[in-house]
Amino acid sequence: MDSSELYHIKQQFTLGAYKSLVDLTLPDPSSPDYTPTLIYQARAHIALGAPAAAEALVPSDTENVALKSVAALARFVAADAEEARDAALEELRDLSVEIEGEDAEATPWEKGTVRVLAGTAFARAGEIEEALETLGAANDTQNLEAVAYTVQVYLSINRPDLARKEFERAKRWAEDDLLLELIEASIGLVTGKDGYSDAHAFYTEQLANPSLTSPHLLTARGVARLLRGEVSAAQSDLEEAQSQLGGKPDAETLAAQTVAAGLGAAKSTDADQLFSQLSSEYPNHPLVTDYQQKADLFDELAAKFTVPALATASA
Amino acid sequence: MSVMLTKFESKSNRVKGLSFHPTQPLLAASLHNGSVQLWNYRMGVLVDRFEEHEGPVRAVAFHPSRALLVTGGDDYKIKVWDIRPTNRRCLFTLHGHLDYIRTVQFHHEMPWILSASDDQTIRIWNSTSRNCIAILTGHSHYVMSAQFHPKEDLIVSASQDQTVRVWDISGLRKNTPNTAPGTFDSFDNFSTVKYVLEGHDRGVNWASFHPTLPLIVSAADDRQIKIWRMSETKAWEVDSCRGHFNNVSTALFHPKHELIVSCGEDKTVRVWDLTKRSAVQTFRREHDRFWVLAAHPELNLFAAGHDSGLIVFKLERERPAFAMHADTLYYVRDKYVRAYDFNTGSDIGLLSVRKFGSPYVPPRTLSYNPAERAVVLTISSDNGLYELTTLPKDAVGEVKDSSTDGKRGSGQSAIFVARNRFAVLNKSTQLIEVRDLSNSVVKSIKPPVQTNEIFYGGTASLILSSATSVVLYDIQQQKTLAEITTPPVKYVVWSADGSLVALLSKHTITIANKNFTQHTLIHETIRIKSGAWDDSGVFIYSTLNHIKYCLAQGDHGVICTLDNPVYLTRVKGKTVYCLDRSARPRTITIDPTEYRFKLALLRNNHEEMLYIIRTSNLLGQSIIAYLQHKGFPEIALHFVQDKNTRFDLAIECGNLDVALETAQTIDRPDCWERLAQQALKQGNHKIVEKAYQRTKNFDRLSFLYLATGSTDKLTKMQKIADARGDPMSRFHNALYAGDVHGRIAVLKDVGMYSLAYLTAKTNGLDDVALDILETAGLTEADVDDVPSFGRSTLKPPTVVTPTTAHNWPTLSMGESFFDKALANGNLEGSADVPYLNGVDGGVAASAALDDWAKDEEGAEDIAAEEGAWDLDAEEAAEPEQEEEAIEEEADLGAGANPGVSETELWTRNSPFAADHVAAGSFDTAMQLLSRQFGIVNFSHLKPVFLSIYRSSHVYLSPLASLPPLQLHLRRDPEESSSGRVLPVAVRNLASIRAELSEGFRAVSGNKLPEAQVVFRATLRSLLLVSISSDSEAKEWRDLVTLAREYLLGVTIEIERRRVAHEDPDNVRRSLELAAYFTHCKLQPAHLQIALRSAIGVFAKANNHATAAKFARRLLELNPDPKIVAQARQRIAAGDRNPRNAVEIAYDEFTEFEICGASFTPIYKGSPAVRCPYTDAAYLPQFKGELDPLTELTEIGASSAGLPAPRS
């Protein structure tokens, strides 16, 4: 079983308290917790958008597949150029093949981590099928983290039914795990109706968790509230998240704030302002890229209509 | 068994004998004062009384199958009574006993009556021949009781001689002697004592057989109850039950359970375990000694007679604990949790709960959790216990006992509130604990009211029932959401979709919506037992003796009667599923027509009403009365055959055709009169005429002809009057017809020559006047003194409109749906219109042209099922998915295909451009806008499009480093069915009204260019608003018009200022524009500004006359006093100087619109082309060009307009 420190680290990671993970001091390298802690810390760095810091954490001469995979993911996320990305992907592919082998010297946990990280990269690269394959969708792997990632991939391709099925299967062997509740909340956010309140309840419950603070939870609850149509409550959540983030909202919060401003009573200029902030700070956020795409689409479509001359009195 | 559930109690003299009617809720009680009472214990009324015995009556018994009662009294007489109310009397009396009669009984199949008497004999009588056929002798003291064996030819008797005897009477059956009374010797052959049971130390008061086992129980003055067993050859004492501390009066075996019930003079009723011979329960009474006890042969009912009356009681609750999920009923019978499948009828035991609480007490409630397949049960024994157990997946082999893995605790009420949480109420500490599945407390709640019971209250909520109210309580926020004052609520039933809840109290039902904001209360005089929701949203409930229905708005009525109470579990179509009092699933077929009809009526679902009318033929007087009462006489009209009622209804709903038709068949003056009145009200003078003709109402007829200008008819009337010899009427008609000659003729005919003369004279008919004089025998000289009058101007008005030719119905008769449908003869495809499941289904289905509608129906069904469960709906959906799992397993895995995205659903579900924009489907959105409003220039709409799209989706990454999920904001967060989801309304009418008022402020502040921008933007935003109802559509249209008028006005004024600035010499144009500005339909405050500006400009140009006119218009708007003063000055100036210096093109007297491009008037009747969106008018020359006001549309393009809202 996990030690209590490791349990806490896992909990923080699950609930998105990446900041506190990054600031963590690593245990003694001889401790069994050392590698997992290192990996979670590295993953937290990546989640915070600092893959370089993650790569720096991992000793370059490591033979540990999990550490190697986290480094590869960091390289993948950091890479701008196509070749570098492909190289990182290839590395992750090799690693996931390696753990399949009979003689692989890796603990089940490490294998699971490799799968999750490789799956993450594949999903980011848009290789849905490969991601699902790697994450072991529909196999009874009993790795809850892999299930969680699988579920999210399913959700991203509009298959909440499959996501729920995966979740139901996991429920049989992973009762009352925090991650399981998170999975349920995510499904709820997509399927809606009572799902919204489940998600809302989950985030509210976790916000009351005294052992950690995570602005991510506030943002998530804000999003859940937006989905429930409680715009002003959502805005206050998001503002609080912003203040917990030291006044500088992360991409997720800022994007949600933009949406909330667009829905709220505030003038549309507020939303536009937030959006321009978002697009300058996080030009790769899907809200920004999607918006750009739609704007181009609009121009293209609008051009198909012929506009007659303006009627004026002189005509 | 902590309580004896008293069902009925009566006060009377001492009760010595009791007997239950085997089928009806009747109880006979014989009293010490000689009276025999017949009670209906269910209704609590005394049905009858038989008072012919002298002295106490100790013995009483019903016949097992006939309406007969036998009694035996201290007057040594046995009397047999017919108890039918129509025929109630003593049929005959049996004489023979020589002392008090203690008990009597009818044999279950032979025509025998058994009696036990203090004369130490037991006698058997033939009730047909009314003879004593056997005398059983042997007891050496009073025989206190004697009973037939329920099956065999045996009798058991108890006597003060301290023995219990069993008699064999098989000989009696073989050769029933038909000898005359008095020949006692012949009886000895068959009255053989089989066993003599000795063991009691004192006199024995009672002995009775076990209904199935070879056992006897006896009660004696030695304060003991003894159990005896018999075999073919012998009988022996098995054991005794000690506990009574005074004489035991009666002891009985429980007909269903392994229990003995006894009562005694120690003022107690006791219950004993038959197998353990231990006391189970004691019910004590303060002052009354118990004398007799009777058990109902079928039901769990007992009656005990005591010093001051009787009580009827149950030993246990009969209401089985049950819960519904999808098509399965989970319930408890005989301490087993069972599952009953409504579709297959399979009924299997899943779990034993024998070891849960007292073995004699059935569980009180059951709450089922489909996600975990777990149940939580409560039981009232041991001060309240609950137990949480999972049900086995399938019941094969040994049924699991809950004690193996059940988690228990104390509490009075326990229910699941979420997948992994349940709530337990502890009544004494008033604490509600929320526990997880491992039974550890997660949360403790102090309820805000003294709570007696808790129920599921919707997601994360509880319903708390207190003595005076129910509280809807939010567990998460720990606060009261709503409270309704009601009598104590005992059961709560949620509707399938979770939108309505029925709160059942003893005598009231409260129907509330899910947040308790609306509710109706229904009172019942009879105890309410249970209820279930029909799939169309009607609440079906059972009382002690009826199944009834109740509509959400409070109408209720009887569906059918019941012999015995049942506990409704579900209603589907015509089938009511229920559990009977022994917890066996049953179905009852009901006729739902009446309530479905009423429901359809309330929902204006005409198709369905028509379908019901067509397919069922009940609809009796009560429905007609109901329809009339509810204000739907026109519908009632379609059911009525009786012509009088039909006439009444037709008059009431103004259907003159039907009224005329029926009036003709009835043909009574009062009908014609009423018809005439109604027809007159509606302006149908032809029918009025007919009615007056029928009733020969000549005066009114003439007046009617006058009113309608029917001169030829008046002439005819004159002739008729002549024929009738009624000069007054002739005169009238002549007057009405303007027929001077006629008038003179009448006056002449009646000899009023003077008047005739004057009439002729004043009408210039001098010849006629002379004639008259002649006839009167006078000359002109004789009338010299008559002053000459001027020419008469008396004549009827000339006919302007020939109303007489056509009817002029002022009351329009909207053609009713029924008229149409019924007139068409057969309802088209009537067979194809099945009963639609209520909820708005009717309209949608008939319009099922679009695919989405079909989708919606399919999805609707599922949604309803989901809601049927009282846990979270999404969890409830799980079993269904499991069923599909096999086929779909292949899909689950790496090769999963992407599903239908939410945005795709949005575009499918909505005809509004706004929703398509939100879905990101700009392509279809533009097509819609172009088709609906003729939009061609989209460039201005880009920011609106993009901001709506941007505000309709939100991103979240629940897991580290994965690309964030795009989540879609829905309009109604409560909606998840794929056929109904719609995007959030980023722009709505309220937000646009706010935008408009910003424009108004700019107008007031004279910031016209700014205002112009705002109004343009408003009109652009209005394009992207989704409408959900007709009233919203109207409001939308009003807003468009309002914004257009302001935009036009502001644009005109801007143009005027431009002209004044750039071309100061063109005063004429400037004046025109100022004048036109005042004709834009602005709000009064802004119209004042327009008028004042116009006044100023016109005054400056010395057009004082027009300025004064504007000032007058200004005054009409009730402006400030200061402005009033200025306006008056202007008017005065105009009066002084009523001239216009500059001639302008402005005709204020003809209505006109203003061309939005040239700003010139388009007078009414002149040709104009319009903007397909705002309907702004343009001169025809601008057709095909871009509308300059909004810069969006092509002027004069055709458009479909705002699509109808799909609700």
Side-chain angles (χ1 to χ4, degrees), chain A residues 145-170:
Chain A
E145 199 168 13
V147 171
Y149 277 74
T150 308
V151 163
Q152 190 172 335
V153 172
Y154 276 141
L155 291 176
S156 71
I157 58 167
N158 300 312
R159 289 308 297 262
D161 52 331
L162 298 181
R164 180 159 291 280
K165 219 171 276 174
E166 196 73 45
F167 163 70
E168 295 296 343
R169 286 153 50 116

Short mmCIF file of all heavy atoms in Angstrom, two decimals, chain A residues 145-170:
data_model
loop_
_atom_site.label_atom_id
_atom_site.label_comp_id
_atom_site.label_asym_id
_atom_site.label_seq_id
_atom_site.Cartn_x
_atom_site.Cartn_y
_atom_site.Cartn_z
N GLU A 145 -5.95 4.97 -12.83
CA GLU A 145 -5.50 6.16 -13.53
C GLU A 145 -5.67 5.96 -15.04
O GLU A 145 -6.14 6.86 -15.74
CB GLU A 145 -4.04 6.45 -13.19
CG GLU A 145 -3.70 7.88 -13.51
CD GLU A 145 -2.36 8.31 -12.92
OE1 GLU A 145 -1.60 7.44 -12.48
OE2 GLU A 145 -2.11 9.51 -12.94
N ALA A 146 -5.33 4.77 -15.50
CA ALA A 146 -5.52 4.49 -16.93
C ALA A 146 -7.00 4.59 -17.28
O ALA A 146 -7.37 5.12 -18.34
CB ALA A 146 -4.98 3.11 -17.27
N VAL A 147 -7.84 4.09 -16.39
CA VAL A 147 -9.28 4.18 -16.64
C VAL A 147 -9.70 5.64 -16.75
O VAL A 147 -10.44 6.03 -17.65
CB VAL A 147 -10.07 3.47 -15.52
CG1 VAL A 147 -11.55 3.77 -15.66
CG2 VAL A 147 -9.83 1.99 -15.54
N ALA A 148 -9.19 6.44 -15.82
CA ALA A 148 -9.56 7.86 -15.82
C ALA A 148 -9.20 8.50 -17.15
O ALA A 148 -9.98 9.24 -17.74
CB ALA A 148 -8.87 8.58 -14.67
N TYR A 149 -7.99 8.19 -17.63
CA TYR A 149 -7.56 8.79 -18.89
C TYR A 149 -8.39 8.26 -20.05
O TYR A 149 -8.77 8.99 -20.95
CB TYR A 149 -6.05 8.55 -19.10
CG TYR A 149 -5.20 9.56 -18.36
CD1 TYR A 149 -5.07 9.50 -16.98
CD2 TYR A 149 -4.57 10.60 -19.04
CE1 TYR A 149 -4.31 10.44 -16.31
CE2 TYR A 149 -3.81 11.54 -18.36
CZ TYR A 149 -3.68 11.46 -16.98
OH TYR A 149 -2.96 12.39 -16.32
N THR A 150 -8.67 6.95 -19.97
CA THR A 150 -9.50 6.37 -21.02
C THR A 150 -10.85 7.07 -21.09
O THR A 150 -11.34 7.43 -22.16
CB THR A 150 -9.73 4.88 -20.73
OG1 THR A 150 -8.48 4.27 -20.53
CG2 THR A 150 -10.45 4.21 -21.88
N VAL A 151 -11.42 7.26 -19.89
CA VAL A 151 -12.73 7.91 -19.82
C VAL A 151 -12.68 9.27 -20.46
O VAL A 151 -13.53 9.65 -21.26
CB VAL A 151 -13.21 7.98 -18.36
CG1 VAL A 151 -14.33 8.99 -18.22
CG2 VAL A 151 -13.67 6.62 -17.88
N GLN A 152 -11.62 10.01 -20.14
CA GLN A 152 -11.58 11.36 -20.71
C GLN A 152 -11.44 11.31 -22.23
O GLN A 152 -12.00 12.13 -22.95
CB GLN A 152 -10.47 12.18 -20.08
CG GLN A 152 -10.62 13.64 -20.53
CD GLN A 152 -9.69 14.58 -19.82
OE1 GLN A 152 -9.26 14.30 -18.71
NE2 GLN A 152 -9.39 15.68 -20.46
N VAL A 153 -10.67 10.34 -22.70
CA VAL A 153 -10.54 10.24 -24.16
C VAL A 153 -11.89 9.90 -24.78
O VAL A 153 -12.30 10.50 -25.77
CB VAL A 153 -9.48 9.18 -24.52
CG1 VAL A 153 -9.49 8.93 -26.03
CG2 VAL A 153 -8.10 9.64 -24.09
N TYR A 154 -12.60 8.97 -24.15
CA TYR A 154 -13.94 8.65 -24.64
C TYR A 154 -14.81 9.90 -24.66
O TYR A 154 -15.54 10.17 -25.62
CB TYR A 154 -14.59 7.60 -23.75
CG TYR A 154 -14.21 6.17 -24.10
CD1 TYR A 154 -14.00 5.24 -23.10
CD2 TYR A 154 -14.12 5.77 -25.42
CE1 TYR A 154 -13.67 3.93 -23.40
CE2 TYR A 154 -13.78 4.46 -25.73
CZ TYR A 154 -13.56 3.54 -24.73
OH TYR A 154 -13.24 2.25 -25.04
N LEU A 155 -14.74 10.65 -23.60
CA LEU A 155 -15.57 11.85 -23.51
C LEU A 155 -15.21 12.82 -24.62
O LEU A 155 -16.07 13.48 -25.20
CB LEU A 155 -15.44 12.51 -22.15
CG LEU A 155 -16.02 11.73 -20.97
CD1 LEU A 155 -15.74 12.46 -19.67
CD2 LEU A 155 -17.53 11.53 -21.14
N SER A 156 -13.91 12.89 -24.91
CA SER A 156 -13.50 13.86 -25.92
C SER A 156 -14.00 13.46 -27.29
O SER A 156 -14.09 14.30 -28.18
CB SER A 156 -11.98 14.01 -25.91
OG SER A 156 -11.40 12.84 -26.44
N ILE A 157 -14.31 12.18 -27.50
CA ILE A 157 -14.86 11.81 -28.81
C ILE A 157 -16.37 11.57 -28.72
O ILE A 157 -16.94 10.82 -29.49
CB ILE A 157 -14.14 10.56 -29.40
CG1 ILE A 157 -14.26 9.38 -28.43
CG2 ILE A 157 -12.70 10.86 -29.69
CD1 ILE A 157 -13.87 8.05 -29.08
N ASN A 158 -16.98 12.21 -27.72
CA ASN A 158 -18.44 12.17 -27.59
C ASN A 158 -18.98 10.77 -27.38
O ASN A 158 -20.00 10.40 -27.95
CB ASN A 158 -19.13 12.78 -28.82
CG ASN A 158 -18.74 14.21 -29.02
OD1 ASN A 158 -18.78 14.99 -28.07
ND2 ASN A 158 -18.34 14.55 -30.22
N ARG A 159 -18.30 9.98 -26.61
CA ARG A 159 -18.83 8.67 -26.29
C ARG A 159 -19.04 8.54 -24.79
O ARG A 159 -18.42 7.71 -24.13
CB ARG A 159 -17.89 7.56 -26.79
CG ARG A 159 -17.85 7.40 -28.29
CD ARG A 159 -19.20 7.26 -28.96
NE ARG A 159 -19.92 6.08 -28.54
CZ ARG A 159 -19.94 4.95 -29.25
NH1 ARG A 159 -19.30 4.85 -30.38
NH2 ARG A 159 -20.62 3.91 -28.81
N PRO A 160 -19.89 9.38 -24.23
CA PRO A 160 -20.13 9.26 -22.78
C PRO A 160 -20.67 7.89 -22.40
O PRO A 160 -20.48 7.44 -21.27
CB PRO A 160 -21.14 10.37 -22.48
CG PRO A 160 -21.70 10.77 -23.79
CD PRO A 160 -20.68 10.47 -24.82
N ASP A 161 -21.33 7.22 -23.34
CA ASP A 161 -21.85 5.90 -23.03
C ASP A 161 -20.72 4.93 -22.73
O ASP A 161 -20.74 4.19 -21.74
CB ASP A 161 -22.72 5.38 -24.17
CG ASP A 161 -22.01 5.45 -25.52
OD1 ASP A 161 -21.14 6.33 -25.68
OD2 ASP A 161 -22.32 4.63 -26.39
N LEU A 162 -19.68 4.96 -23.59
CA LEU A 162 -18.54 4.09 -23.36
C LEU A 162 -17.79 4.51 -22.10
O LEU A 162 -17.33 3.67 -21.33
CB LEU A 162 -17.60 4.13 -24.56
CG LEU A 162 -18.21 3.64 -25.88
CD1 LEU A 162 -17.18 3.70 -26.98
CD2 LEU A 162 -18.73 2.23 -25.72
N ALA A 163 -17.71 5.82 -21.90
CA ALA A 163 -17.03 6.31 -20.71
C ALA A 163 -17.72 5.76 -19.47
O ALA A 163 -17.07 5.29 -18.52
CB ALA A 163 -17.05 7.84 -20.71
N ARG A 164 -19.02 5.81 -19.49
CA ARG A 164 -19.76 5.35 -18.32
C ARG A 164 -19.57 3.85 -18.12
O ARG A 164 -19.44 3.37 -17.01
CB ARG A 164 -21.24 5.68 -18.49
CG ARG A 164 -22.09 5.24 -17.33
CD ARG A 164 -23.39 5.99 -17.28
NE ARG A 164 -23.18 7.38 -16.92
CZ ARG A 164 -22.98 7.81 -15.69
NH1 ARG A 164 -22.93 6.97 -14.70
NH2 ARG A 164 -22.81 9.08 -15.44
N LYS A 165 -19.52 3.14 -19.24
CA LYS A 165 -19.34 1.70 -19.13
C LYS A 165 -18.00 1.40 -18.47
O LYS A 165 -17.89 0.57 -17.57
CB LYS A 165 -19.40 1.10 -20.54
CG LYS A 165 -20.14 -0.21 -20.58
CD LYS A 165 -20.37 -0.64 -22.01
CE LYS A 165 -21.61 0.02 -22.60
NZ LYS A 165 -21.75 -0.29 -24.02
N GLU A 166 -16.99 2.11 -18.96
CA GLU A 166 -15.66 1.93 -18.40
C GLU A 166 -15.68 2.24 -16.90
O GLU A 166 -15.11 1.53 -16.08
CB GLU A 166 -14.71 2.88 -19.13
CG GLU A 166 -13.24 2.57 -18.98
CD GLU A 166 -12.83 1.33 -19.77
OE1 GLU A 166 -13.23 1.18 -20.96
OE2 GLU A 166 -12.12 0.51 -19.19
N PHE A 167 -16.40 3.31 -16.58
CA PHE A 167 -16.49 3.72 -15.18
C PHE A 167 -17.21 2.66 -14.34
O PHE A 167 -16.77 2.33 -13.23
CB PHE A 167 -17.24 5.06 -15.13
CG PHE A 167 -17.78 5.42 -13.78
CD1 PHE A 167 -16.93 5.76 -12.73
CD2 PHE A 167 -19.14 5.41 -13.54
CE1 PHE A 167 -17.44 6.09 -11.49
CE2 PHE A 167 -19.65 5.74 -12.31
CZ PHE A 167 -18.79 6.07 -11.28
N GLU A 168 -18.29 2.13 -14.89
CA GLU A 168 -19.05 1.13 -14.13
C GLU A 168 -18.18 -0.10 -13.85
O GLU A 168 -18.25 -0.70 -12.79
CB GLU A 168 -20.30 0.68 -14.90
CG GLU A 168 -21.34 1.77 -15.10
CD GLU A 168 -21.92 2.28 -13.82
OE1 GLU A 168 -21.78 1.59 -12.79
OE2 GLU A 168 -22.51 3.38 -13.83
N ARG A 169 -17.38 -0.45 -14.87
CA ARG A 169 -16.51 -1.61 -14.66
C ARG A 169 -15.50 -1.33 -13.56
O ARG A 169 -15.23 -2.17 -12.71
CB ARG A 169 -15.78 -1.94 -15.96
CG ARG A 169 -16.68 -2.59 -16.99
CD ARG A 169 -16.19 -2.30 -18.39
NE ARG A 169 -14.78 -2.61 -18.52
CZ ARG A 169 -14.31 -3.56 -19.32
NH1 ARG A 169 -15.16 -4.29 -20.01
NH2 ARG A 169 -13.03 -3.78 -19.42
N ALA A 170 -14.98 -0.11 -13.61
CA ALA A 170 -13.96 0.23 -12.62
C ALA A 170 -14.56 0.23 -11.23
O ALA A 170 -13.91 -0.11 -10.24
CB ALA A 170 -13.36 1.60 -12.94
#
